[in-house]
Structure formats: C-alpha cells, structure tokens
Amino acid sequence: MQFLRTDRHGPVQTIWLNNPPYNFLTDAVMGELLDLLRDIDRDDEVRAVVLTSAVDDVFVSHYSVSEILDGVEAAPVALNSRTAGAALRMSTLADHVPGGQAGLARAGAGGVANLRRYHEVCRLMRESSTVFIAALNGRALGGGCELSLACDLRLMADGPFEIGQPEILVGIIPGGGGTQMLTRVLGAGRALELCLEGAPITPSRALEIGLVHRLIDPDELLTEAQTTAARLAKRSPTAVRGIKHAVYQGGSTSLEKGLHIERAQFLTAASTPSAKRAMATYLADVESTIDAGRDMSDFVADSLPGWIDGTKVDFTE
C-alpha cells in the first residue's frame, strides 16, 4: 500500500495514514483504506483497530480540495439538489454495470463515486463488530474530523492542534458525513455552530463539548490508544456490533424504533454460546458468594473488573 502502514499485535491492528507532508485525504488514500477495511471485516481475528497518522503533528489536514474542485469542474452542468440526487442514484446503479463507474467518470461524474466511497468507508467502520479508535496525533480538519467521527472512540494529543469542520470558509459544506455524525455526537446546536463558524477548535475545547473522549500527552497517545484497543478487543463481537447498531442506528430514529432495535440486539447477543457461558459462570460465583456469607457489594467491586478485562470469561466466540 502506498498511503497506509499497518501493524498487527494479537487482535489489535494499527493503521497509519501516510500521505506527507499534509496527510491530505484523496480518492487513492480512501480506496486503499476501503480495501483494507473490507479485509479487516472478513478477518475474525481482528477485534479492534487504531487509526492514526504517520505524519508528525497531523492526523489529516483535510480532504484534497484540488480533487473536489476537479470533480465539480468536470461536471457538464451546475448541480442543484434535484440533479445532484439524480447523479447519486445513477452512480449507485452504475455499481452494478460493468464499466459503469468508468463511464460516469468520462462523463464528468467521477466525483460522485469518490464521495460515495468516502461514505462507504465510514459505514463499514460504524457497522462493524470491530472497535475503531482514532488516535489524533495532531491537526484533524474537514475530512480528517469526519474520519475520526466514524470511529467509536477519539483520543487526541494535548497540544497546539486544531480540529473542526472549516468547509464553509470556502463556500461548501462537510461532505464526508460531518453534518450527520456531528449532530448525533454533539446534538444539533453544537453541530450547527461548528459547521457554520468553520473556525477550528482546540483539543481542550473539543474535550469540553464531547467531540473527543480523552486528551493524552502526545508521547503517550499511541500507547494509550493501543492499550484501550487491546482491552476492548476482549469484548464479545456480537455485543460490540449490537451496541454500535443500537447507538448509531437506533439513536437516530424514534424512541419506539430505537427500543425495538435494542431489544433485537439484546436477544441476539444473549443467545450466543459465549454469553450463556459468561452468565452461567457469573451466577455460580454469585451463589458461592452468598453461600459464604460475603457482602454482594464486595463481590461486585472485587470481581466485575476482572470480568470486564476478560480474566474470568472468554469473550471471543
């Protein structure tokens, strides 16, 4: 791979984005990432992924503006919401026709496929039973912020870095899912503020509003992300997928529909052999604690962290 570096330690795979000096996202970068994510999705041994950057102090500057400009300049006509929707539908249909995307590219609609490829990367990450952790080692703007939003957890280096959605400053809007994922992570008010202002925010402000989960010393960021990934890799993949589906899909619909999704995912996870073994073992421990006259609160305090770390139960299937 030209733009990615990878390393694997047990169930944790680390991916470094490597397009110096600014680590712009391009169609070529996203193509490599999509291929790699598809491979990971088929590999049951990979349970957690750390996504970071090989460029010092830069996670991703943003998506390549030159590629965006080339894409819209190649279009035969100016698009409005109706014609843009038609172009997206044509691009989807072209996936099922040999040479269809190449034909659209020759007709000046290649940028539509590039946009859909970016969204496919984000979809794979959010629907996967694998935990994705973004280790933001520096600047994360535009498409870089959006790529981090597709991850389940975001750890950011504490330093003079920037994160945000500056697209409006050049007259466009976030195109990699930023308006939708920000709304779901931060709420409509914060999402509107970030997208309308366009001004990047500091890591400390990002932590304050919930855009990132933790700030880490830059020298410890990768180690902390990989340690977190190794811990979460012990979780049941069925439960991980169920939680992600219930939060990402159920959380963006009505409460009634969301609860239906949660119920379905709960029953699915509870029916797995590993969950049945875990619950049976837990009940046996509880019964022995009660028989010994121990206080239940002491049992939970002493025992549960061990369960979470997988020392008492095999969380793999």
Side-chain angles (χ1 to χ4, degrees):
M1 293 179 289
Q2 182 179 354
F3 299 107
L4 302 178
R5 285 172 34 202
T6 67
D7 187 38
R8 172 88 171 270
H9 287 283
V12 177
Q13 183 152 354
T14 303
I15 303 172
W16 288 267
L17 301 168
N18 188 28
N19 188 22
Y22 302 111
N23 235 22
F24 291 141
L25 294 179
T26 65
D27 183 48
V29 173
M30 297 307 292
E32 283 191 7
L33 185 56
L34 180 58
D35 289 342
L36 178 57
L37 292 180
R38 284 171 172 164
D39 289 340
I40 289 172
D41 201 48
R42 291 188 290 265
D43 188 346
D44 293 337
E45 299 301 315
V46 178
R47 303 294 342 126
V49 170
V50 173
L51 183 62
T52 190
S53 164
V55 180
D56 290 341
D57 300 332
V58 179
F59 177 67
V60 169
S61 288
H62 49 71
Y63 197 92
S64 169
V65 175
S66 65
E67 284 198 5
I68 297 173
L69 183 59
D70 288 345
V72 294
E73 287 188 331
V77 295
L79 298 176
N80 55 37
S81 58
R82 181 179 61 81
T83 55
L88 287 165
R89 288 190 292 274
M90 287 177 58
S91 179
T92 302
L93 292 172
D95 288 342
H96 308 288
V97 178
Q101 291 297 344
L104 286 178
R106 289 192 296 271
V112 176
N114 296 350
L115 185 61
R116 290 180 54 241
R117 182 178 293 110
Y118 193 109
H119 287 174
E120 178 64 9
V121 166
C122 295
R123 185 195 67 79
L124 272 176
M125 294 166 67
R126 291 170 76 90
E127 293 185 3
S128 171
S129 61
T130 302
V131 177
F132 283 84
I133 299 173
L136 307 176
N137 60 304
R139 182 189 312 130
L141 299 177
C145 181
E146 289 168 311
L147 192 60
S148 77
L149 285 166
C151 293
D152 305 305
L153 297 178
R154 287 166 294 284
L155 311 185
M156 190 169 190
D158 191 4
F161 308 123
E162 303 169 315
I163 184 170
Q165 302 287 163
E167 289 87 351
I168 197 170
L169 301 181
V170 292
I172 61 176
I173 77 168
T179 61
Q180 301 307 298
M181 292 186 289
L182 277 174
T183 300
R184 286 157 174 77
V185 169
L186 302 179
R190 293 291 192 200
L192 280 168
E193 181 182 31
L194 286 176
C195 293
L196 290 174
E197 288 283 359
I201 61 176
T202 64
S204 59
R205 178 59 176 163
L207 178 66
E208 180 183 350
I209 66 174
L211 181 54
V212 299
H213 294 87
R214 278 183 274 160
L215 296 187
I216 310 294
D217 183 277
D219 293 334
E220 300 173 1
L221 176 67
L222 183 58
T223 298
E224 179 63 22
Q226 291 173 329
T227 299
T228 301
R231 182 173 66 253
L232 297 183
K234 299 173 183 177
R235 308 302 195 247
S236 159
T238 302
V240 168
R241 185 189 295 275
I243 288 171
K244 289 172 66 167
H245 188 66
V247 170
Y248 292 142
Q249 304 300 321
S252 60
T253 186
S254 68
L255 178 59
E256 182 180 358
K257 291 180 180 178
L259 289 172
H260 173 78
I261 291 173
E262 182 185 276
R263 287 192 295 268
Q265 295 300 327
F266 172 84
L267 292 172
T268 300
S271 299
T272 61
S274 62
K276 292 176 182 177
R277 290 194 302 270
M279 289 186 286
T281 304
Y282 178 80
L283 285 175
D285 280 0
V286 170
E287 290 173 0
S288 64
T289 297
I290 294 173
D291 291 343
R294 290 182 59 201
D295 186 84
M296 186 64 186
S297 61
D298 292 337
F299 165 75
V300 172
D302 294 341
S303 178
L304 201 53
W307 285 71
I308 293 175
D309 288 337
T311 55
K312 289 193 174 184
V313 177
D314 180 6
F315 284 104
T316 61
E317 297 188 20

